[in-house]
Amino acid sequence: MEIKVKAVAGTLESSDVYVIIEPNSTGIELEIESVVMGQYGDDVKRVVLESLDELGVTSAKVLINDKGAIEPVIKSRIQTVVTRAAQQKFTWK
């Protein structure tokens, strides 16, 4: 999916993740801030990148503010923010 506009999803509440995505012409730029970075930072990064890949996003600037979200929450926030930014409706595969 092509990222057309800046979009946000999520909250800054505990166990959630706040995601900002915007267009970028130089591939994926990922910035992560997490309260559990030392323990789960690599896992958060993996889930975000896998989710973007599954959705066909090849260029975007993505800012993540993780408050201890579990994997399904991260995936759902990425799906939501990407479909908003692509100005499309999400369809389940």
Side-chain angles (χ1 to χ4, degrees):
M1 270 189 237
E2 178 188 353
I3 303 304
K4 297 176 182 176
V5 298
K6 182 177 180 178
V8 299
T11 70
L12 293 172
E13 298 292 323
S14 181
S15 300
D16 202 352
V17 60
Y18 186 74
V19 182
I20 302 171
I21 193 168
E22 54 190 52
N24 187 28
S25 60
T26 59
I28 302 292
E29 284 184 47
L30 180 58
E31 184 178 322
I32 300 174
E33 181 178 325
S34 176
V35 296
V36 293
M37 185 61 93
Q39 296 163 305
Y40 301 108
D42 291 341
D43 292 327
V44 171
K45 181 178 180 179
R46 175 189 53 79
V47 172
V48 170
L49 292 175
E50 285 177 359
S51 298
L52 291 171
D53 185 54
E54 289 172 6
L55 294 166
V57 177
T58 56
S59 292
K61 182 174 181 181
V62 184
L63 306 170
I64 303 290
N65 191 331
D66 173 46
K67 299 296 183 182
I70 61 174
E71 189 170 322
V73 172
I74 297 169
K75 285 184 172 190
S76 68
R77 295 303 190 198
I78 295 295
Q79 290 172 348
T80 300
V81 79
V82 166
T83 54
R84 287 176 180 171
Q87 298 180 321
Q88 294 184 0
K89 290 186 177 183
F90 183 76
T91 54
W92 295 100
K93 293 181 180 181

